[in-house]
Amino acid sequence: MSKKIFVGILVWSAVSAVLSAAAAVIITDCTINGESIRNLILFFAGFIGLSVLIASVISMKIVRPIAKIDLDKPKPISGYPELDRLTERLRIQNSRINRQVNELSRNHDQFSLITENMDEGIIIADKKLNILTCNSSSMRLLDVKDISAGQSVYSFNNSEVFRRCIQNAAGGRNSECTVETCQGESVVIASPAGSTDTFNGIFILIMDITEKRKLEIMRREFTSNVSHELKTPLTTIYGISDMLAGGLVKSDDTAEFGARIRNEADRLIKLINDIMALSKLDEAAGLSDAEETDLYELSAEILARISENAMERNITMKLSGEHILYMGNRTVLDEVIYNLCDNAIKYNNDGGSLEVNILEAHKNIIITVSDTGIGIPKEHTDRIFERFYRVDKSRSRKIKGTGLGLSIVKHGVMYHGGTVRIESNPGSGTVFTVELPECISAGR
Ligand code: ADP
């Protein structure tokens, strides 16, 4: 600006010099000869020199107060009222910019706060597919570290399927793909950002589906196991009844065949009951409300129910501990203790023993069911709570069971917010410890 003012003054001075010289020539009416031309040039040069000096001084004087304006906090400058309008406009402009910057940073903070607390991953990329922003869940789910804004979106994943998904979104189409990493499996949903004819970038949402996939696999396995377990006794029942109907069974054998049908029907009923108990626990539906239950009395009832089986095999049963009142679902608690006691008989040695102990420790209720049975090898202890898992299938065939008892125990305990653990020594016995949180009152 000072340059323009300087040039302006200079041009004005030069024009004035030429006009003055011309006027001098006209006024003096002197003849133009060599000497007068030299004098004229000297006068002209002197005038120009003076003009340069004056122009630079004036332009500096004009520009100095403008340069002095504090752009962050513009205030009127004393002695220069001409600049008041400029400083006022600067001040208004400044406060508008500050307001907008504050609003932007507030929006940005809010956006970061929300996205950082999300389990889902979010990536926003510009039209060149460079990352504008991303949250930490996106890095966790796609198993990458140290990604920052400005890098290509493909730094997250370079697989063919991910590239195609991004390219589709960049082409204006919503796209979805599944990406597998060491951490698990995630679904990636990419959408174009912008209107139909303008492409401004893409928005990517990533969701963890590892658990969902595991559940799908478990459900599929469960269905196929259920079908298999139901089919086996039904096939036997069908076969025997077919033989009976066709008159192929001697009258002496009818009772035995009838007993086999009954056995298989028992197995079916037990299986269906177990499946129903498990599905109720899965959905936590159809369960009656909590009621005050004396766990000692409940255990005594259960031991009485299985006493015939115990006696048949000469197994002694003992109940010890305290009468503890627990606020819980009686049916579920019954299933938990019953299944543990039933197993302690089934997998015991003839002449062995079973003990149930109920006590309270640190506001928790501890129920232990110990037996002197065959025990469980260490490599199986992690899996015995899985549905239909049986340690030794061929032996378990002889010992009646559905493979669902311990799943019912696990889910029944979880339903009450508790835990179940196992200690077992093959050959010398097993102890199952159930720990339930909080009881309402103890002792009698
Ligand atoms: P099942 O109907 O076969 O008894 P469970 O789910 O109750 O099914 O138990 C799973 C497996 O765990 C059993 O098949 C058995 O091999 C093992 N098991 C459970 N309880 C005991 C125990 N007290 N002693 C030894 N093995 C046991």
Side-chain angles (χ1 to χ4, degrees):
M1 166 143 169
S2 64
K3 211 171 179 179
K4 278 188 181 168
I5 294 168
F6 173 80
V7 171
I9 295 169
L10 200 61
V11 169
W12 171 81
S13 307
V15 171
S16 312
V18 172
L19 289 176
S20 314
V25 168
I26 293 163
I27 291 163
T28 51
D29 196 25
C30 60
T31 47
I32 295 172
N33 56 28
E35 194 182 346
S36 64
I37 286 176
R38 205 183 64 238
N39 285 341
L40 213 61
I41 289 170
L42 275 176
F43 167 78
F44 188 69
F47 203 94
I48 290 286
L50 194 65
S51 298
V52 167
L53 198 69
I54 293 167
S56 65
V57 169
I58 293 174
S59 65
M60 268 167 68
K61 275 217 165 225
I62 292 172
V63 171
R64 195 177 298 140
I66 297 172
K68 266 193 192 165
I69 296 173
D70 180 356
L71 290 175
D72 292 329
K73 289 175 195 153
K75 281 187 224 135
I77 299 167
S78 62
Y80 293 95
E82 308 85 352
L83 294 179
D84 283 1
R85 273 186 64 195
L86 176 68
T87 52
E88 179 58 13
R89 288 189 67 177
L90 278 174
R91 198 187 55 73
I92 293 169
Q93 202 72 14
N94 256 8
S95 67
R96 194 176 298 155
I97 290 170
N98 281 343
R99 240 192 348 265
Q100 283 169 352
V101 167
N102 284 343
E103 202 173 312
L104 270 178
S105 93
R106 214 176 27 248
N107 286 349
H108 180 264
D109 289 351
Q110 263 174 9
F111 182 77
S112 303
L113 191 77
I114 293 167
T115 53
E116 276 311 305
N117 284 306
M118 279 173 70
D119 286 338
E120 291 80 14
I122 283 181
I123 306 168
I124 299 174
D126 63 15
K127 54 174 119 179
K128 288 183 183 159
L129 301 181
N130 291 329
I131 302 161
L132 290 173
T133 182
C134 62
N135 65 354
S136 41
S137 289
S138 62
M139 296 188 221
R140 177 176 49 80
L141 292 174
L142 294 179
D143 197 20
V144 288
K145 289 185 184 77
D146 300 331
I147 288 251
S148 50
Q151 279 179 258
S152 161
V153 78
Y154 298 125
S155 326
F156 272 101
N157 192 289
N158 210 7
S159 66
E160 182 57 35
V161 57
F162 184 78
R163 280 186 162 269
R164 215 176 311 125
C165 181
I166 300 298
Q167 286 304 327
N168 280 343
R173 291 181 301 280
N174 289 337
S175 187
E176 193 177 316
C177 68
T178 307
V179 172
E180 272 181 55
T181 66
C182 314
Q183 303 297 317
E185 223 175 321
S186 296
V187 65
V188 175
I189 301 167
S191 315
S195 58
T196 33
D197 31 55
T198 54
F199 171 66
N200 296 327
I202 54 169
F203 178 83
I204 306 165
L205 180 72
I206 306 142
M207 287 180 290
D208 189 1
I209 51 164
T210 319
E211 259 327 287
K212 199 175 147 205
R213 282 277 188 270
K214 268 193 210 155
L215 281 175
E216 267 170 24
I217 293 169
M218 267 172 63
R219 210 164 289 149
R220 237 177 285 139
E221 278 177 4
F222 182 69
T223 315
S224 96
N225 277 326
V226 167
S227 322
H228 176 77
E229 294 293 324
L230 289 175
K231 211 173 145 197
T232 317
L234 274 175
T235 312
T236 315
I237 291 171
Y238 183 84
I240 296 172
S241 50
D242 203 33
M243 283 165 75
L244 284 168
L248 296 172
V249 179
K250 284 189 238 154
S251 53
D252 290 354
D253 297 333
T254 324
E256 192 201 320
F257 277 76
R260 279 180 63 189
I261 289 181
R262 198 196 146 87
N263 265 348
E264 293 302 323
D266 272 352
R267 206 172 131 192
L268 270 179
I269 290 169
K270 168 95 177 91
L271 187 68
I272 290 165
N273 283 341
D274 280 359
I275 292 169
M276 280 170 66
L278 255 182
S279 70
K280 271 187 187 167
L281 282 169
D282 275 347
E283 289 161 23
L287 295 171
S288 54
D289 288 338
E291 58 184 294
E292 204 179 85
T293 305
D294 182 331
L295 293 174
Y296 190 93
E297 267 179 15
L298 180 66
S299 305
E301 265 176 44
I302 291 166
L303 290 184
R305 242 183 280 155
I306 58 170
S307 61
E308 212 180 301
N309 292 348
M311 264 176 345
E312 270 172 23
R313 300 190 47 214
N314 208 15
I315 293 168
T316 51
M317 297 194 296
K318 188 179 163 198
L319 176 59
S320 58
E322 308 155 33
H323 281 271
I324 293 173
L325 295 179
Y326 182 71
M327 201 64 179
N329 184 292
R330 193 182 168 90
T331 318
V332 175
L333 292 167
D334 186 314
E335 276 162 358
V336 168
I337 303 173
Y338 174 83
N339 275 296
L340 291 176
C341 292
D342 189 43
N343 281 350
I345 300 273
K346 283 196 301 189
Y347 302 104
N348 217 321
N349 298 308
D350 289 352
S353 67
L354 145 68
E355 180 170 355
V356 181
N357 181 264
I358 316 280
L359 59 92
E360 192 198 342
H362 311 295
K363 282 195 160 185
N364 281 353
I365 293 161
I366 318 281
I367 306 168
T368 50
V369 178
S370 11
D371 65 60
T372 53
I374 55 174
I376 302 167
K378 193 146 186 48
E379 64 271 24
H380 296 281
T381 51
D382 282 347
R383 298 202 59 193
I384 51 165
F385 292 99
E386 287 174 21
R387 291 164 194 208
F388 295 109
Y389 190 83
R390 302 174 103 180
V391 172
D392 179 348
K393 290 233 171 200
S394 58
R395 194 192 59 189
S396 300
R397 277 264 161 264
K398 281 178 234 143
I399 303 170
K400 281 185 194 167
T402 58
L404 294 174
L406 288 181
S407 290
I408 294 174
V409 169
K410 182 181 146 189
H411 284 87
V413 171
M414 272 165 52
Y415 176 78
H416 287 94
T419 55
V420 54
R421 49 178 200 278
I422 170 178
E423 279 162 61
S424 188
N425 289 314
S428 59
T430 306
V431 182
F432 281 94
T433 307
V434 170
E435 203 164 329
L436 300 172
E438 287 288 319
C439 60
I440 54 161
S441 58
R444 276 196 163 180

